[in-house]
Amino acid sequence: MSIFENVNFDDHESVHSFADPQSGLKAIIAVHSTTLGPSAGGSRLWTYASSEQAMTDVLRLSRGMSYKNAMAGLKLGGGKAVIMRPEGDFDRTALFAAFGRAVEAVGGKYYTAEDVGVSPEDMRVVRAQTKYVAGLNEGASASGDPSPVTADGVFRCIKLAADKKLGTSLKGMRISVQGLGHVGYDLCRRLDEAGAQLIVADINTSLVEKAQSRFGAKTVTPDDIYAVEADIYAPCALGATLNPDTIEQLKVSIIAGAANNQLSTSQMGQSLQERGILYCPDYVVNGGGIINIAGEIEGNYNRDWVEGKLQGLEKTLSDILDLASKTGRSTDVIADEMAQKRIGRG
Ligand code: NAD
């Protein structure tokens, strides 16, 4: 299938594919928009069943980055990279070195950082090949792993939504969390400190056991997380988990989580609204990490600047929720319109 026929193609400015037989690299970098500045978004290392699946993922994710960066008030466009995980054993350093050369070849139109399956150590390897990388642990304006800042942003958004929809603090709130990775686990820590009762699921049982012993979290199987009775649901694993099948099972009032592209199709926002569930748009809620990375790209990383942008994120979500409650329109549509306006599309 040609990329132009892919339903997720959204007039992306450019899409680049790379292969390096020696290291096993097969990667796609998609630049969705550079209207606000060079595109930026993480790189994902994942097992894809086909290159079409990888293409669909990168097209959706890069568009999401344009919206996310615009809504976070950053001078960055949207881009993303996916690396198809090689089968069997592979030399990780060689793979990320080849990926670094790929990023360099895009010539500064795309800045990379960590996403699912990628660590600051991988980014250190990429840095040896290109300067268009952030999320580093070392260097003059290194910002490190963005995940704790993403978790901070998600936590603030959950607090805000609970206050607006339920009129309460998080103390005693039942919050279900799907995915206990870099973001999900740190989010649980913050929610636990705020007095919430956690119900968690992950395919990685050791993370589930850790959350159980550290936070007293109740645990359920990955399949059962949707049907859990709770006040708030925080999807922090992978995308497209809000679909007709799962939405039917949900027994929550609010959804706010870190995962990218949570809605399987654009109709899902409407379905959630019809069920009386307040959906906090993913690319607003999870903007903390890219804010942290943007500080590094600008070359003058500092916590005060990041704090200001995180407060801006809360204000943006607050505006969306207020407008949705005033107009009766769904939050995802309102957020999309705001983002499109900011990037000069629509
Ligand atoms: P991660 O890989 O560290 O964690 C993901 C977790 O989800 C893993 O523990 C994995 O085992 C679990 N998981 C996978 N499939 C699952 C399933 N079916 N049910 C339950 N658990 C499952 O990734 P992360 O960095 O924590 O990111 C989580 C999500 O947030 C991703 O969608 C990512 O794109 C998004 N995100 C991350 C950041 C960031 O700063 N890391 C920023 C913005 C958005």
Side-chain angles (χ1 to χ4, degrees), residues 273-284:
Q273 196 191 20
E274 281 163 12
R275 294 220 38 219
I277 299 171
L278 179 64
Y279 171 66
C280 300
D282 46 15
Y283 58 79
V284 180

Side-chain angles (χ1 to χ4, degrees), residues 44 46 61 65 68 80 114-118 145-151 154 177-185 200-205 207-208 221-223 225-226 235-239 241 257-262 282 285-290 293:
R44 174 173 289 195
W46 193 248
L61 290 165
M65 285 312 302
K68 186 187 310 200
K80 198 87 183 182
E114 299 89 346
D115 190 43
V116 175
V118 176
D145 181 4
S147 308
V149 188
T150 304
V154 177
V177 181
Q178 179 190 47
L180 298 168
H182 292 93
V183 181
Y185 193 83
V200 302
D202 196 295
I203 50 174
N204 180 334
T205 49
L207 288 171
V208 173
T221 66
D223 284 347
I225 192 76
Y226 305 106
C236 298
L238 293 177
T241 56
N260 285 309
N261 297 324
Q262 292 166 23
D282 46 15
V285 172
N286 68 17
I290 195 69
I293 285 165

